[in-house]
Structures are given as structure tokens and as C-alpha cells.
Amino acid sequence: MAKGPRTGRVGGRTSRVPAHKHLDSLVKAAPLPPPAEEEVPVQPTGALGRAAIDARSPRLRRGMSHALDPRQAARDLYDAVAQPDMAFVLVFCSPQYDLEALGPALAELFEDTLVIGCTTAGEITPVGYMTGSITGVSFPGSDFSAVAERIDDLEGFEIAHAHALVRSLSARRDAALDAAALDATLDGREPVAGKSFALLLIDGLSVREELVVSSIYSALGDIPLFGGSAGDDLRFTRTWILHDGEFRSNAAVLVLVDTVRRFTVFRTEHFVSSDRKMVVTEADPARRIVTEINAEPAGREYARMVGLEGEPLTPMIFAAYPVVVRVGGEYHVRSIQKVNDDESLTFFCAIDEGIVLTVAEGVDLVQNLESLFSRLHEDVGEPELILGCDCILRSLEMEQKQIKHLVSKVLARNNVIGFCTYGEQFNAMHVNQTFTGVAIGARCES
């Protein structure tokens, strides 16, 4: 286990906040994906081995490993992303690893640097999508400052806890920035004092995302928030959050990041509503289970509405035929996780009786992503990093349509690091079948 609490670069001591209280050999300096006009490998081959170092972006260092041994994987990642002055490190890893060994190995290597992360339903690495790997990124202390707090016992989480958590984080953030300003002045550097964004990583099987994200966003005020729900490769058994050298379930971690870099928090989805509507007539909201739609068994009626009556319902079908609800004048996807033995449907998001569900129709996913990245370039210039939380159902759809290799190339040449999730957070909303995150560019002009 870790030998004590991890800290941020400028004294941001992490704390525990119980809810009831508050690729086969190492790449030798291998370059990352070439510019957009060149081909990008999707899977590591040849000299592209267990880890990769971003030679073009030495200050936001991205890396990966597909070593099977957790200690070797941790070492590979460390060799790829470590730099002298790290504000914090983000790690996304396959649940196939021995997490009891991986957590302490990362803690030992990164020492007092704040390291957070989670398990995945697939990783987004410097070469695109992978499974069975670990990937991550380090943030330079010259441009970033971060403080984090973990939330334990999500089952007991209440709205009041969010306000206490954000107050604590804000106080520690202010103290960290003051210390950083003093250090910078003494060293003749520009202090880290810019705008903030928040990142939330949460147990993807907790069924608590809606309450946690909405209450935290309310407490944050005007600070934008994004995040993802941890995964376990579609086993739906147990998901894990990494903090303080350990992987924990029934937990979340909130990170408050300040930076002098240009950034924008974003969300995109590739669906539009249709004229096929249905009403939830019986549900168990606490378990996100719908038992009846249009007064018929939910699974059977859903299959009829999407034109697949009598067909077995699979994750691929749910990915191809999502349903949406209208909230605040906008449509949001409410993805289905599975069909149960009694023909009820379990959802990834909150669901309740009386809700009108609309069958969604897809648009070109690759074109949708290309349009998104064009907008992000307009907002922040060429992003040095895009942190992305990508719904696992999008990944399944890509596999079904055999376009995942194309999307991998798009993500790789846009410097995306992240993971496939069991749900995404965007400001106050817990959503599904979206791609959300933050794009980070160069320093803001004085």
C-alpha cells in the first residue's frame, strides 16, 4: 500500500471524505502519432511496444503500456510520462490488472505526486483504442495546479456533503495557489493563476452518479465539470477508482484543476430524435430498472419500437438504437445496459415512471468527431491534450459498424487520452452514449 497520503505539487494534501462525514518491448523514445495527413497505427506493432513518449509535447507527457505484469506496466508508464515537476498524473487502466499490485507500484514510482484514475471498459491511448492496457498523462507544475478529494461510501452520499467537499477543495486550492505564487516569484517564474475546471471519476456501478454530479456542480458555481464512470470491460461486476495508491469501489474522486492554459470543456453525441415515442409505465428508479413500456413488458416493447420484435436484445442493439429524453429543451441519451430474465430493462442512467422515451437515430460518428475537433481547434488552438470520456456503447457501435480503426486514427492525431466509460458527466448531468472531456491548448496570452 502507499506509505502515506499523496500530495499535489504545491502542498495539496489529499484527504479521505467519507460520505457520511465529508505495448513487446518498451518504446525507446518512440514518437507518437504523426500529423493528420499520415496514417496512424491502431494497435502496437514492431518497435511500438509497451510504452510511448510524446516527443512533440514534452510538457504534457502521454504514455501507455500493455505489459501484463502490473509492476512492469507501472514502470513503463512512469518512464513515459515522468517529468521533474508534475502537478498531477491521470491513469486509466484495464480491470484485468492485479490492482492490489498496480496501485502501490504507481504510488512508489510517482512518490508524492498526486495520482488518480480508474478502471475502464477500454482505454484511449496515444495510438487510439486499446484493451488490456494502461495509459496516462502527466501535467507540468509550471502550468497546472490540482487538489483532489475522494468520496467514500457513495451509498450514504447526500447533497450537503457536496458543499462541504467543494468548500474544502476550494480552501486547499487557494492555499496551493498562494504557495505556488510565492515559489514562482522566488524562482523568477510566472505564477499559476488562471481558470479552473473540475474532473469527477466515479464508480460506474454505484447508481449514484446523478445525485453526486448534480450536487457537486451546484456547489462549484461557474466552474465547468466533466468526468466518467469507471468500467470493468462489460462484466458489470465491480469498478474501481484509483486514489492514494489504492483502487477502491463505492468511491469517487473530485479534482479541481487550475491552469494558465487555454481550455474548453465539451460534450458531443451523434444522435437525433425520431418520431417514435414510448412511455415508461412501470419502473424501479432506485435500481434504474424499467419493467413496463406502454403497459407492455419493457424489453418486448422496446424491441417492437426499434423494429426488432422477436430478436434477442444485446449490447450491440442497445448501442445502435438508444433512447433519449428531453430535459431543459435538449435531448439526452438514456442508454440501456441489459435486458433481464423477466424482460425488464436496466439502464445506465436515472429513469422513472411517466418519462417519455424517444427512439434516437444516428448520424455519422466519424464526421461528428471531426466536426467537434474542428470546433475545439477554434476554441483553444491546436490542443496539446484532449482528455476524453467515451461511452462504451459508442465503442460497441464502432465495432458493429467496423469503423473503430478510423475513429482511433482521429483520436490519436488529436492527442486524446482517456477511457471508455459506463456513463459520462457534463456539468450537472450524468449522461450516456456521449463523448465528453476537456481540450487543453497553449498558455493564454498575457
Side-chain angles (χ1 to χ4, degrees):
M1 293 296 101
K3 299 178 181 179
R6 306 265 67 79
T7 62
R9 183 189 72 88
V10 289
R13 187 180 180 92
T14 60
S15 64
R16 300 171 178 83
V17 183
H20 63 278
K21 295 178 181 179
H22 275 359
L23 165 224
D24 272 285
S25 58
L26 178 64
V27 169
K28 298 178 180 178
L32 282 184
E37 65 271 17
E38 299 181 23
E39 289 295 310
V40 180
V42 176
Q43 292 293 337
T45 57
L48 190 55
R50 288 193 301 261
I53 298 173
D54 189 345
R56 297 178 302 154
S57 303
R59 295 172 64 191
L60 271 165
R61 298 193 179 180
R62 302 174 291 136
M64 57 160 285
S65 173
H66 70 143
L68 299 178
D69 180 81
R71 296 168 186 83
Q72 184 62 55
R75 167 58 67 177
D76 292 345
L77 182 64
Y78 176 82
D79 289 344
V81 307
Q83 52 185 315
D85 182 25
M86 294 180 285
F88 70 110
V89 176
L90 280 176
V91 175
F92 306 109
C93 70
S94 166
Q96 299 174 28
Y97 282 110
D98 179 349
L99 301 179
E100 291 187 357
L102 181 60
L106 289 167
E108 181 178 355
L109 288 164
F110 286 101
E111 298 181 333
D112 286 341
T113 299
L114 171 64
V115 180
I116 64 164
C118 65
T119 57
T120 76
E123 302 78 55
I124 305 176
T125 78
V127 294
Y129 290 110
M130 289 195 69
T131 57
S133 68
I134 184 172
T135 191
V137 56
S138 67
F139 294 73
S142 58
D143 289 3
F144 296 86
S145 178
V147 290
E149 295 216 23
R150 192 177 71 244
I151 307 168
D152 290 323
D153 185 23
L154 290 174
E155 294 175 356
F157 186 87
E158 298 178 359
I159 294 175
H161 300 141
H163 291 271
L165 182 149
V166 171
R167 282 196 301 270
S168 174
L169 267 183
S170 298
R172 291 173 46 224
R173 185 268 308 272
D174 293 343
L177 291 178
D178 288 343
L182 179 59
D183 289 346
T185 300
L186 294 175
D187 295 341
R189 295 182 287 107
E190 180 182 346
V192 176
K195 294 185 177 181
S196 307
F197 65 84
L199 166 64
L200 178 69
L201 300 176
I202 187 168
D203 185 328
L205 298 175
S206 65
V207 198
R208 301 290 284 172
E209 292 99 327
E210 285 87 2
L211 173 63
V212 174
V213 69
S214 62
S215 56
I216 286 177
Y217 182 68
S218 175
L220 283 171
D222 61 353
I223 297 176
L225 178 150
F226 78 98
S229 301
D232 67 345
D233 285 347
L234 287 175
R235 299 172 187 154
F236 301 117
T237 301
R238 193 172 183 183
T239 68
W240 308 80
I241 301 297
L242 171 64
H243 175 263
D244 205 13
E246 295 182 27
F247 285 86
R248 298 173 172 86
S249 295
N250 191 28
V253 62
L254 177 67
V255 191
L256 192 56
V257 182
D258 278 79
T259 181
V260 293
R261 299 288 194 101
R262 297 176 64 185
F263 72 84
T264 185
V265 172
F266 65 86
R267 187 196 85 181
T268 191
E269 57 192 30
H270 64 293
F271 291 98
V272 294
S273 61
S274 72
D275 58 359
R276 290 173 288 173
K277 300 184 183 296
M278 45 192 168
V279 179
V280 175
T281 49
E282 186 175 290
D284 181 349
R287 294 192 297 156
R288 296 176 177 169
I289 292 177
V290 172
T291 52
E292 286 188 3
I293 293 175
N294 296 341
E296 298 288 343
R300 190 185 311 171
E301 182 66 2
Y302 165 82
R304 187 186 71 81
M305 292 295 294
V306 300
L308 295 172
E309 190 170 7
E311 296 290 329
L313 297 177
T314 66
M316 289 292 188
I317 289 176
F318 299 141
Y321 301 95
V323 293
V324 297
V325 297
R326 190 175 178 88
V327 179
E330 295 184 359
Y331 283 99
H332 300 274
V333 179
R334 286 290 182 265
S335 294
I336 302 168
Q337 181 188 118
K338 61 182 179 178
V339 61
N340 303 306
D341 292 339
D342 61 356
E343 293 191 274
S344 64
L345 297 173
T346 298
F347 281 68
F348 277 110
C349 266
I351 206 76
D352 205 348
E353 292 182 8
I355 286 180
V356 177
L357 302 175
T358 302
V359 178
E361 297 178 348
V363 298
D364 190 293
L365 190 152
V366 178
Q367 184 178 351
N368 174 263
L369 272 181
E370 294 280 22
S371 298
L372 168 68
F373 291 136
S374 294
R375 295 195 302 272
L376 296 180
H377 276 68
E378 293 177 0
D379 290 341
V380 303
E382 182 178 359
E384 189 172 333
L385 172 73
I386 295 176
L387 284 176
C389 302
D390 197 19
C391 184
I392 181 58
L393 292 177
R394 287 166 53 90
S395 180
L396 292 175
E397 180 185 350
M398 295 173 208
E399 292 174 3
Q400 184 182 44
K401 295 181 176 179
Q402 299 183 355
I403 60 171
K404 197 167 187 178
H405 64 294
L406 299 177
V407 179
S408 270
K409 293 177 183 180
V410 175
L411 298 179
R413 66 175 181 252
N414 283 280
N415 302 331
V416 180
I417 291 289
F419 72 110
C420 296
T421 76
Y422 280 177
E424 305 77 60
Q425 282 64 250
F426 181 75
N427 290 335
M429 296 288 294
H430 173 58
V431 293
N432 293 140
Q433 218 145 340
T434 69
F435 178 61
T436 186
V438 62
I440 302 173
R443 274 178 166 244
C444 297
E445 296 181 2
S446 301

